[in-house]
Amino acid sequence: MDFGLKGKTALVIGGGSGLGAASARALSAEGAHVVLAGRRPDVLAASAAQMANPTTQIVWDVSDPAAAGQRIAEIRAKVGPIHILVNNTGGPPPSPAAGQPLELWTTHFQGLVLSLIAITDAVLSDMVAAGWGRIVTIASSGVIAPIPNLALSNALRSSLVGWSKTLSRELAPKGITVNMALPGRIATDRLRSLDEGKAGRESRTLEDVVKENLAAIPMGRYGEPDEFGAAVAFLASRQASYITGSMIRIDGGVIASV
């Protein structure tokens, strides 16, 4: 199936590794010119080497929302208008909900929420001018079923749900779709780190923690990053032009609620 992405430019935030890199690979395989944004040039270069087509690499720590407008202007000057935006940031540290310093909440709200909103606002003029655009924000299954000891992620990513839904209704008449992709347990370095952290806190083996997690997933396995990336690429496709304001779960059926 041709997703109709040839000639489109896709900006993938956090495109150097994990779910961002997987999304970038899928978009590149469909013919999009992918702009990989991330903090580490070596990681970006390794990600770019996996792409089906040449990419543009932008070293950018997106945690400062005030810099978004200028950085998007620089990218636009280099590659032209942006048609697809994949919003993706690393997860905040594991923590309970109670007793966290306000500074910690503020820091991660700025980097996880305000930065993505500012980046999105900065690229919208390109999409409005084209009468076509795709915005996909990667969050977590924790926005539907909060995950124990991930209070920062559960709370902050949930604020993106209301923003994304509201934005989708504002932009639908302009030919721009706005959706969210919610990963469950996808086999990334982030997931391994969480599993190792849980094993350490509970004085258990990593193998025991993984076995317990797999037992809760109807498919009985962790998802592959490229399975997640394929879902993001579909949401960016011309075939998905009537899907907006949605949250797509890529979780192997782990969330039991409808």
Side-chain angles (χ1 to χ4, degrees):
M1 182 182 293
D2 180 2
F3 280 1
L5 301 184
K6 295 179 179 65
K8 305 294 187 185
T9 297
L11 171 60
V12 180
I13 306 301
S17 61
L19 301 180
S23 300
R25 285 194 297 273
L27 291 166
S28 181
E30 288 296 325
H33 177 81
V34 176
V35 180
L36 301 169
R39 292 178 297 176
R40 295 174 52 189
D42 56 331
V43 173
L44 290 175
S47 179
Q50 301 173 357
M51 302 297 151
N53 292 294
T55 67
T56 299
Q57 301 165 51
I58 302 293
V59 178
W60 179 11
D61 181 350
V62 302
S63 61
D64 178 12
Q70 179 60 37
R71 296 311 307 270
I72 292 299
E74 294 169 1
I75 294 170
R76 185 181 291 116
K78 183 175 292 188
V79 302
I82 296 164
H83 310 100
I84 299 164
L85 172 64
V86 178
N87 280 320
N88 172 54
T89 63
S95 69
Q100 301 307 308
L102 289 179
E103 293 80 5
L104 185 65
W105 285 103
T106 300
T107 295
H108 289 287
F109 179 72
Q110 177 171 283
L112 194 67
V113 179
L114 294 184
S115 288
L116 296 187
I117 292 173
I119 291 168
T120 302
D121 283 347
V123 304
L124 279 180
S125 61
D126 291 345
M127 299 181 185
V128 171
W132 192 98
R134 300 286 187 265
I135 299 165
V136 181
T137 299
I138 298 174
S140 164
S141 60
V143 304
I144 296 176
I147 302 168
N149 204 51
L150 288 183
L152 286 167
S153 177
N154 295 336
L156 297 180
R157 294 189 195 279
S158 291
S159 66
L160 289 170
V161 173
W163 164 76
S164 182
K165 183 66 174 181
T166 306
L167 187 65
S168 73
R169 294 179 64 84
E170 294 174 359
L171 297 179
K174 304 179 188 299
I176 302 167
T177 66
V178 184
N179 292 291
M180 300 188 75
L182 308 184
R185 293 188 175 273
I186 310 294
T188 61
D189 291 342
R190 161 78 170 173
L191 180 59
R192 182 174 179 84
S193 176
L194 291 174
D195 285 350
E196 289 174 343
K198 183 175 182 178
R201 289 192 308 274
E202 299 179 1
S203 299
R204 300 163 62 190
T205 66
L206 176 61
E207 291 74 16
D208 184 46
V209 169
V210 171
K211 182 178 180 181
E212 178 183 74
N213 289 338
L214 295 181
I217 302 171
M219 286 193 169
R221 64 177 177 86
Y222 287 167
E224 293 297 326
D226 285 339
E227 292 177 305
F228 180 88
V232 171
F234 175 72
L235 288 175
S237 72
R238 63 184 174 193
Q239 287 86 346
S241 60
Y242 204 58
I243 300 173
T244 196
S246 294
M247 296 191 296
I248 306 299
R249 307 176 188 179
I250 305 98
D251 68 354
V254 70
I255 296 175
S257 63
V258 296

